[in-house]
Structure formats: structure tokens, C-alpha cells
Amino acid sequence: MQTLNVNGIWRLSPLDNKAIAPYCQYFLEHESIPCNLPGDIHSALLAAEIIADPYIGQQELDIQWVGQHDWVLSKTFNVDDSMLTAGRAILTLKMADTIITIHLNGEEVGRLDNQFRRWRFDLGDILKPGENTLTLTFTSAEKKAVELAETLPYPIPYSEYPVSAKHRNLVRKSQCHSGWDWGPCILAMGVYEPIELSFIDEGIIEELTCDTIEMGKDQWDAVVRVIYNARQEQSLDCRLMLAGSEQEGTVHMKQGLNKIEFRLQCKQVKRWWPHGEGKATLYPLQLSVGSQQTEKRIGFRTLLLRTEAEPDGGKPLVFNVNGRDIFAKGTNWIPLDALPGRLTPDRYEYLLQSCVDANMNMIRVWGGGLYEKDVFYDLCDEKGLLVWQDCMFSCSMYPTNAEFLASVEAELRYQVPRLKDHPSLALWCGNNEDLGAISWYEESRKNHIRYVIDYDRLNEGVVGRVIKELDPGRQWWPSSPSAGENDYSDNWHDDSKGDMHFWSVWHEGKSFEEYYSINPRFVSEFGFQSFPLLDTVKSYATEEMWNLTSKVMEHHQKNPRGNSIIMENFTRYYRFPSSFAQMLYLSQVQQAKAMKMAIEYWRTTMPHCMGALYWQLNDNWPVASWSSIDYHGNWKLLHYAAKRFYSPALPIAYMKEDGIVEVYVVNDGPKEIKDAKLSVKFCTYEGKKLNKMEYHMDCKARSSSHMCTINLHKKRKIDRENTFIYLKLKSDDLYIENQLMLEKPKRSNLKNPGIKSEVSKTAGGFSVTVSCTYPAFEVALEAEGISGVFSDNLFAIRPTAQKVVTFKPREEVSLEDFKKQLKIYDLWGSSH
Ligand code: BMA
């Protein structure tokens, strides 16, 4: 099989010059501009300086016309005679977004209307020796959606955002392209995976899947299924290799689709484990059929979801890998950029490694984005990050006419076999919040039955049915949130079964203590917003806009009540920040506090609760949001907090009931911690130690141990406004601290900690030693203008112990520059 590279520079022009003239005159005088494929049209227009950067200021508003018009991409290329005689020309497109008509040399080859499908066309005799021209005509997805809406027998409601495109739910395209409560409306168009032009002589491997079956301790059978599309009837040599086992033979093929099955016995196999449990061992699976070869990686592991009903009617949601119940710790993933041309492998690597570095073992691919690129799942396999995979439906009703359902079925028949063999793939979930969304809209409330039936037709009738057929070994989970199959409970508030989306603290305006009001089994979404780092704010707002109510700061906040909720909670918990920079800092402290309270508490209830995935890991443009890593890759303070609150072993103190402190030690790791020592110390903000309790213990693997209850009402001498509890858990290879203030920070009489720092150069970075005269809280280091990650951040320090942290810059920086740019924030300083 030969291939011809048709990627790289294409030419981009509007379909109708006059139609776009009111927004852009460039094309009245110029025919076209270059556009790189794989890539997107907005990025090409941006590179040619035809549109302004939508991530800056309010410029998102100025580029809306791009997605509302039609565009043409074309490429002229040469084909050798020898190629044409070598085989039949097949054109394959993946991640083609979305409404596209393909022409070759002026003749129509095909029409595309689903970004999530793989499209394959036989170019037949249209491809000629010599010069050929391929054109992709993109119809505006919004225009198409509006047209489709007019043909609907009844309205199909969907969620809308401050800047939003209409009827996003009618087109099979990333739903968040139409704007979201954290994302811009950029109706991207383009092709985001390399276009393949192949010349098929013998045939083409259409699909390769592998099911692993545990046969003994380290013995596994691998059932490998191949779908081969043969050009003609023929006999071909086939060879398969996996984990030291090999099979070969000659297969007689008929013309068209052939199914070939192999069963390999693999011995002395090492298992694949999620992060924190062991090594994520992978084995290459190599297949050749005739002259064509392909490869994928296989991990041997069992994975099941435990959801058995309990006597009291409760139902857990537990991921069990290789026989071990795993507490799922992680976050939610959204597309990493609103401009899909920027989905580069290094950014996937960085973000997913940041998850591992923060002690996570699971990531949820949220249903409003993408079935992600291969690189995402490859990295999750390597890093041991389990993937909760939503299907791409979110916060909306969807059509259920025959064409729409057929399109969804085709998309799943491509996506399920593509993804199912990744050992990281833990769960298929039908959608994000579509079930709950039925009660969000007037039409669907008024005509409930109609929309429930539609929901079921799509979700169980197509999505669930196809997944169960193609991947029967894996659990199908109807929706997130959900109480499980055939149960339609309100999993926003009912904590007894399945996964919850607990949004009372953010969307319902409740205080952080509300996290203590539920005893969930698994929380797959809950979150609290913060502002990004000042460096990131600088990327979109000029200094005169550095005020929360300026038009630019408001524009980069897509949740209409967002800034008010952040402010409201400042008034609940903190003294008011003294400057814009302190406000950004405090917002991140507050976000980290909210997530810490929730996650620490739920972890203590293990094994009742067996998972917490906060909303959300990343941003797709620079914005105020629930993310723990901002658009430019800066770890917000929440991400540092996550590294601590997701530590396998952690001492925890919380005050659920006023004046009653509960102290726990949690160890969700696979190993017992021998000879651990927990100290629980009362200290004052003047730096005095009051009493101290000590516990010697072995912390069992996967345990949560209640250590003591402290009733402050009985400890009259303790002045809560002046006291905090300091926890330390220590063993031979463990040292971890935690704190609990006995009053809200705004009521606590913190003293000026007089923070000092010393900086020195180390191999690959810098070391910062931080010390104080009085206890310092929420100490945060920031290297302004320098990207990189600190080894620890958002910590407390006591006068008796200094803290040493290291910083690894992503680019070369001198010691002098680092010192100049290093800023140290702390809680006392935020209001002074
Ligand atoms: C959820 C998500 C998203 C949304 C987030 C914050 O429920 O599923 O749709 O962005 O809340 O509002």
C-alpha cells in the first residue's frame, strides 16, 4: 500500500466573497490564504491577520461571522502513474469538522456531517495521473443547524451561554464550540487529523480489536479480531505477535469485508495497573496482513464496576482493577483548546502528566467536547490514568429522527472499536447531564413524556445498544450523573446511588459546608471557580481592565453569576483582598479550600465513597473558571492543593458540626504504612504550642481510620479565633502535614508572618527556602512571567520550621531574573 501526503499547506478562501465583505474585505482583492492541515480555518485567518485574536479582550465578538459563513479549502497535488497502477485510491478523513462536501477535480466525492465519524471514500477513476485538485467546502454548522431546526416537528431545546451559536445540538460537532459557561463561541471548522490518501493494492485493515481474558495468575488469552477489506479474492499471509506469543498463517479472503479471528496464549504477562497501584505495563500487538502492517498497545488487566445493590437500597460505584477496589481520584477534561489546530501532543503530555503529578488516577472525558485524539488515550495508558469516557452529548435534548440516529450509530461504530482496547478506558457513559436537562427547559417540562421518550430512544436505543454490542466486557453507564441503569433519580441531590454531580455549592449558592451534608458514593462533578494567574490575565486584559467589573474581565467570565459567587464567598470566609493581584490569589485560595473540604471529607468516608472527580482540569482559552490549570498551563493553587488532598496517605481534620473536630488518617494506597506517627497539635497564631496528641499506628492499605473527636466546647481555654490544629503524619518514607483553622479565616487573628525567602540555583531550576516569624497560611509562590511548576505550593509554615521548595522553569531563566520575578503571597498579606 502506498500513501500520498496531502497534508500541510492548503489554500483557504470564502465560498462567497461578497457575503463576507461586510466583515472582511481582504478576499475582494486576494484569492486565498494558506491554511495548514491538520488544522482549523480560524487559526489560518488569525495567522494571516484577517481576524483578531479571539482570546484577547472582547475580540471573540468580532469573529463570530467566520463560523456563520462557508469556506473552501483546496489543494492541488501530483499523482504518479505508478501510484494509480499500484492500487485503488482511498481517501480517509478523521476529525473532519463538520458539514463538508468533498470534490476531486470538480466532481463530488462525498458529503460529511459528523465530526466524530471516520469517513472513507473510494476515489475511483476521478483521480488522474498528473495534477489533481481536492476541495473541501465547509458549510457553516450554525447555518445548517438553523435550517435543520426549521424542519423539526417540535423544538429540541439546548443550553445557551453568553456568546452562543444556535441549535448546536442538531449537528454532530463538539458541543462546546458553540460557547459554554467557561468557553468562547468559536464555531471551528477544519480537519484535525492527517488526511490519508492511500493506494490500496491488496486491501486495507479496517479494524483491529483485542479482548484479553485472564486464564491464570500471569496467563492470558488474547482474542484478536481483524476486519480486512480485500480488493479482490486472494490468499494473504497474516502474522500476529503479542507478549512473546506469535501466530501466522495464510488466510483466504473474499472480495470486500473479511473477519479474521486469532486466539493467542500469552504467558508470564505483567499486569497493567492504574497510577498508584503499580506499573502500567503495555505490550505491543503487531499485525501484518499481506503487505500491510499495523500496531497497537495492549495492557492486561481486569476491570469491573461494582454496583451491586445494598440492603438499605444504596448502590456503590466502585472501579475494581485486577481485583482491587480503587478510590478514583481525578478531574474532568474538556478540549484543551477552542482552536482545534492547537491540539498538539506536547500539550496533552503536559496536562496528563500534571494529573499524575497531583496523585490522580482517573480522568473523565466530558460529553460536550471530543472523543479525544489517540495521543490522549495512549498517554493515559502509559501513565495509568483510568478514563471515564462520556459519549459526546451534553446538557441538551437531541433529535431522534432516523438520520440523526443513524449518524450517531455510525459514529459509535467507529469510536468504540477505536478506543475499547485502551487499558485505561474504564467506562462508557451515555452523556453529560442530558437526563437532568429534561427538567431545565420550558418545552421539555411541559411535554415531559415526549422528551423522556426521545432521550431513551437515543441513549438506550442507540448509544447503549451499540456500546453493549461492540464492547460487552465493559460497563455501560447511562449518563453522568446517574443512579445506574433503569434508575432515573435526581443525582444532583440524591447521594445514595451511582455518581453525583454536586453543584449546590456553586450553582445553588450554598456555603462550602454543604459538602458535608452529603455522603456520596462517587462524585463525578463538583467545582468552584477562580481567576487565572496574573500572567494569564495579562494575555487578555490590558492594565486599565484589571478590575473585576471591567468589560474585559466580565467577558472572560462565562458563567453569568460567576464573579458574584466568588465575591459572595470572599465575604463568607475571608477578609476582602487589598488589590487586584491579591484578589486573583485569594480566589485561587478559596477555590482550593472548597475542593479540599469536599474531597478530604468524602475520602474519610471510604469505602462508602469511592471516587471524586472535580470539575475541571483545564481551560480551552484564558478565562475565569473551575479549572485547576489555566489555559497557559499554569498550575492554579487548586492543582497544588490536589497534589496534597489526593496523596495516598493523608491526615485529615474537619469540623462538620460547629465545635466538633473529627480527625482521620486515610490511606487509599495498596500498601500498609508501618509504624506511622500522627501528631495533632493545637497552636496559636502567635506561634505558641498548646497541647499535643500523638498516635502510633500501622495504617492499613485502603483504610480510613477515625483517630479522635475533639469537642472544642469542652476545651474552654482554646480561643478558636486564635488557634489552629496542625497535623503531621510520619513514617520511614512518609511525611505529610495538614491544618485546620478553628474559625473562618476572616475571624482568625492572623499576625503578619514576616515571610522571608532565600533563593539559590539548583540543577534544572531553583530552590526557594521560605521562613516566617509567625505562622503563615496559604503561602503561595508565583514566578511572574516565568512558566514552570513548583514542587509544592499553597502550604502553611510555622516559625520553627522553614520550607524548601524547588521550581523547574520550562525555559532557561537566570537566577537574578527568577529572584526578581518571585512573588510570595499569604493569607494575612491578602488583606494588607
Ligand atoms: C457541569 C458540566 C458543564 C459545566 C459545569 C459548570 O455540570 O457538565 O456542563 O460547564 O457544570 O457549570
Side-chain angles (χ1 to χ4, degrees):
M1 185 171 83
Q2 294 191 38
T3 56
L4 184 69
N5 185 6
V6 287
N7 296 288
I9 302 299
W10 285 54
R11 302 302 305 180
L12 171 68
S13 49
L15 181 68
D16 179 350
N17 278 337
K18 292 210 187 78
I20 66 155
Y23 314 96
C24 157
Q25 279 84 49
Y26 180 91
F27 291 100
L28 296 177
E29 280 155 35
H30 305 82
E31 206 171 300
S32 63
I33 59 162
C35 175
N36 201 38
L37 288 189
D40 68 89
I41 287 174
H42 286 80
S43 292
L45 293 167
L46 183 59
E49 295 177 8
I50 291 172
I51 58 169
D53 188 336
Y55 293 178
I56 298 175
Q58 294 181 295
Q59 292 173 177
E60 174 200 0
L61 301 172
D62 307 332
I63 61 116
Q64 291 305 308
W65 63 273
V66 176
Q68 291 157 352
H69 288 83
D70 306 335
W71 296 88
V72 183
L73 277 174
S74 66
K75 185 165 181 95
T76 300
F77 54 94
N78 273 304
V79 176
D80 283 356
D81 227 355
S82 64
M83 285 184 162
L84 288 174
T85 47
R88 203 155 181 88
I90 303 287
L91 184 70
T92 307
L93 289 94
K94 292 178 275 190
M95 285 200 175
D97 184 13
T98 290
I99 314 293
I100 307 171
T101 309
I102 305 180
H103 288 90
L104 177 62
N105 303 329
E107 264 189 69
E108 188 176 314
V109 169
R111 287 172 183 239
L112 286 51
D113 60 3
N114 184 329
Q115 182 195 333
F116 309 125
R117 282 182 66 172
R118 179 182 71 184
W119 298 92
R120 193 159 262 181
F121 303 100
D122 187 333
L123 298 181
D125 302 330
I126 317 173
L127 199 69
K128 309 172 304 210
E131 202 173 86
N132 288 270
T133 301
L134 201 53
T135 61
L136 309 179
T137 305
F138 291 79
T139 302
S140 153
E142 184 169 4
K143 221 159 68 179
K144 175 78 183 176
V146 170
E147 264 170 44
L148 286 168
E150 277 158 18
T151 67
L152 295 173
Y154 49 86
I156 310 213
Y158 56 97
S159 56
E160 282 175 282
Y161 303 97
V163 186
S164 218
K166 290 198 172 68
H167 303 292
R168 62 169 168 87
N169 52 340
L170 306 185
V171 176
R172 292 308 292 144
K173 169 178 178 55
S174 283
Q175 298 289 277
C176 66
H177 287 176
S178 312
W180 213 262
D181 60 1
W182 36 256
C185 176
I186 298 182
L187 269 193
M189 294 182 236
V191 185
Y192 315 139
E193 287 284 14
I195 299 175
E196 295 158 27
L197 177 53
S198 319
F199 298 88
I200 310 293
D201 36 13
E202 299 162 344
I204 193 164
I205 299 172
E206 294 274 358
E207 203 180 283
L208 163 65
T209 58
C210 173
D211 289 315
T212 54
I213 306 162
E214 191 185 16
M215 303 303 285
K217 199 169 144 262
D218 56 3
Q219 293 197 17
W220 294 71
D221 276 7
V223 180
V224 178
R225 293 186 184 89
V226 180
I227 298 183
Y228 187 81
N229 199 343
R231 247 192 96 189
Q232 62 264 323
E233 189 176 346
Q234 62 196 311
S235 290
L236 291 175
D237 290 339
C238 296
R239 185 155 185 238
L240 186 73
M241 286 192 297
L242 173 66
S245 184
E246 200 175 327
Q247 219 172 334
E248 47 189 331
T250 306
V251 179
H252 187 78
M253 311 270 187
K254 62 177 194 306
Q255 190 190 1
L257 295 182
N258 293 267
K259 284 188 186 169
I260 321 166
E261 199 174 299
F262 302 85
R263 195 173 178 117
L264 288 180
Q265 283 159 357
C266 306
K267 297 200 174 98
Q268 289 178 319
V269 163
K270 292 205 175 81
R271 282 169 192 262
W272 181 93
W273 288 101
H275 178 61
E277 296 291 326
K279 265 184 83 178
T281 311
L282 296 169
Y283 292 90
L285 166 68
Q286 288 155 328
L287 170 77
S288 60
V289 181
S291 59
Q292 210 194 334
Q293 279 137 22
T294 187
E295 188 170 320
K296 59 160 61 174
R297 288 181 307 174
I298 300 299
F300 293 88
R301 53 108 183 95
T302 60
L303 192 148
L304 51 101
L305 200 67
R306 293 209 302 95
T307 58
E308 67 283 1
E310 292 164 347
D312 64 355
K315 250 187 177 187
L317 177 56
V318 185
F319 289 88
N320 180 289
V321 183
N322 294 325
R324 292 187 197 160
D325 285 350
I326 308 287
F327 191 104
K329 298 183 289 191
T331 179
N332 284 269
W333 171 275
I334 62 166
L336 64 75
D337 211 297
L339 295 168
R342 298 182 184 179
L343 305 179
T344 51
D346 54 322
R347 295 178 70 198
Y348 283 96
E349 160 65 36
Y350 176 78
L351 285 171
L352 293 169
Q353 186 56 41
S354 296
C355 292
V356 170
D357 291 344
N359 289 311
M360 299 179 184
N361 58 20
M362 182 174 277
I363 189 141
R364 169 170 174 249
V365 179
W366 166 77
L370 291 172
Y371 302 96
E372 270 297 345
K373 291 200 163 201
D374 291 340
V375 60
F376 175 92
Y377 303 96
D378 288 343
L379 288 165
C380 289
D381 289 347
E382 284 165 24
K383 295 178 191 300
L385 282 170
L386 294 165
V387 177
W388 171 308
Q389 178 69 48
D390 281 5
C391 295
M392 292 302 126
F393 305 92
S394 184
C395 301
S396 186
M397 315 292 96
Y398 286 91
T400 56
N401 56 55
E403 300 90 289
F404 190 86
L405 295 182
S407 177
V408 170
E409 176 147 358
E411 121 193 2
L412 291 164
R413 288 194 180 277
Y414 166 59
Q415 296 294 348
V416 176
R418 177 172 85 94
L419 301 181
K420 73 179 259 298
D421 293 339
H422 285 280
S424 56
L425 193 78
L427 179 91
W428 289 108
C429 167
N431 58 69
N432 173 71
E433 299 186 346
D434 284 359
L435 177 62
I438 300 176
S439 59
W440 299 352
Y441 309 105
E442 208 192 319
E443 294 96 332
S444 48
R445 275 196 302 269
K446 267 198 322 224
N447 212 330
H448 202 240
I449 292 177
R450 167 195 282 163
Y451 293 93
V452 170
I453 291 174
D454 275 356
Y455 171 81
D456 191 60
R457 271 189 192 148
L458 171 65
N459 201 52
E460 294 291 341
V462 176
V463 183
R465 172 177 57 77
V466 175
I467 287 174
K468 285 177 197 166
E469 176 198 324
L470 299 180
D471 195 9
R474 200 173 334 250
Q475 183 74 34
W476 147 253
W477 194 247
S479 180
S480 187
S482 167
E485 270 191 280
N486 307 318
D487 186 333
Y488 304 97
S489 308
D490 168 11
N491 271 41
W492 272 267
H493 300 97
D494 182 346
D495 61 1
S496 61
K497 292 173 253 166
D499 72 315
M500 288 188 88
H501 285 191
F502 190 66
W503 280 104
S504 303
V505 172
W506 178 266
H507 288 300
E508 293 169 21
K510 303 267 172 62
S511 72
F512 300 168
E513 283 68 23
E514 198 68 12
Y515 289 125
Y516 298 152
S517 73
I518 54 165
N519 278 314
R521 315 310 304 256
F522 194 109
V523 198
S524 45
E525 275 191 22
F526 57 104
F528 200 88
Q529 277 202 3
S530 70
F531 297 101
L533 275 77
L534 184 60
D535 280 339
T536 297
V537 171
K538 283 182 190 166
S539 78
Y540 60 79
T542 49
E543 203 165 335
E544 62 279 15
M545 291 292 154
W546 292 1
N547 188 297
L548 216 53
T549 48
S550 73
K551 62 181 183 191
V552 171
M553 289 304 286
E554 289 192 345
H555 188 80
H556 286 250
Q557 164 58 275
K558 294 289 193 178
N559 186 215
R561 284 211 336 106
N563 289 351
S564 325
I565 299 173
I566 294 173
M567 290 302 127
E568 188 186 346
N569 285 285
F570 279 173
T571 66
R572 255 186 198 138
Y573 296 104
Y574 297 101
R575 296 190 188 173
F576 219 71
S578 57
S579 67
F580 183 70
Q582 293 292 352
M583 197 271 310
L584 301 182
Y585 155 78
L586 193 66
S587 78
Q588 293 189 20
V589 169
Q590 171 166 273
Q591 176 191 35
K593 177 190 171 79
M595 295 298 94
K596 175 182 193 282
M597 281 174 73
I599 289 167
E600 288 191 347
Y601 173 62
W602 296 334
R603 284 189 68 187
T604 67
T605 68
M606 180 181 87
H608 182 85
C609 178
M610 282 303 279
L613 311 177
Y614 66 77
W615 183 265
Q616 74 207 61
L617 173 70
N618 54 326
D619 285 328
N620 71 345
W621 76 316
V623 69
S625 84
W626 299 268
S627 71
S628 62
I629 299 185
D630 76 21
Y631 174 71
H632 293 293
N634 301 303
W635 283 27
K636 290 172 157 183
L637 296 176
L638 168 58
H639 208 80
Y640 290 104
K643 186 174 178 178
R644 190 167 306 108
F645 61 60
Y646 279 147
S647 305
L650 183 67
I652 296 169
Y654 64 80
M655 208 192 298
K656 181 172 168 180
E657 197 184 318
D658 183 66
I660 309 290
V661 178
E662 303 290 357
V663 180
Y664 279 80
V665 169
V666 170
N667 173 23
D668 59 28
K671 285 201 200 108
E672 180 170 35
I673 302 165
K674 291 263 184 218
D675 295 326
K677 190 172 95 183
L678 170 75
S679 55
V680 182
K681 246 185 237 173
F682 283 81
C683 308
T684 70
Y685 297 128
E686 276 107 32
K688 275 200 221 110
K689 283 175 207 137
L690 306 174
N691 45 347
K692 168 173 159 182
M693 296 174 283
E694 262 185 12
Y695 300 86
H696 294 264
M697 59 189 298
D698 295 332
C699 315
K700 289 217 174 69
R702 295 175 212 295
S703 67
S704 165
S705 316
H706 181 233
M707 304 308 295
C708 60
T709 301
I710 305 166
N711 185 343
L712 297 175
H713 302 296
K714 289 192 185 153
K715 290 192 183 281
R716 293 248 172 74
K717 281 204 207 118
I718 286 184
D719 168 10
R720 282 166 60 176
E721 293 187 353
N722 204 27
T723 313
F724 66 101
I725 290 178
Y726 165 76
L727 302 172
K728 183 169 72 188
L729 182 66
K730 243 182 105 172
S731 77
D732 281 352
D733 49 7
L734 174 76
Y735 182 99
I736 186 157
E737 301 177 345
N738 209 340
Q739 298 78 30
L740 178 75
M741 289 182 158
L742 298 184
E743 268 302 337
K744 287 179 178 155
K746 66 176 181 181
R747 296 265 182 269
S748 300
N749 301 321
L750 302 185
K751 299 197 71 162
N752 179 352
I755 293 180
K756 291 203 180 69
S757 65
E758 269 173 41
V759 183
S760 61
K761 193 143 180 44
T762 58
F766 305 98
S767 158
V768 188
T769 305
V770 199
S771 57
C772 59
T773 334
Y774 290 105
F777 295 87
E778 318 286 24
V779 179
L781 312 186
E782 195 174 313
E784 244 182 73
I786 305 174
S787 53
V789 174
F790 288 94
S791 58
D792 194 0
N793 219 340
L794 197 69
F795 44 77
I797 29 175
R798 293 162 301 133
T800 48
Q802 53 188 22
K803 176 101 187 169
V804 183
V805 295
T806 55
F807 178 78
K808 261 201 215 149
R810 283 204 255 171
E811 280 141 35
E812 190 74 25
V813 186
S814 71
L815 177 64
E816 216 168 81
D817 283 348
F818 179 72
K819 274 187 180 164
K820 229 184 345 194
Q821 296 308 99
L822 179 69
K823 306 279 170 324
I824 304 185
Y825 293 88
D826 78 286
L827 193 54
W828 178 87
S830 68
S831 60
H832 287 87

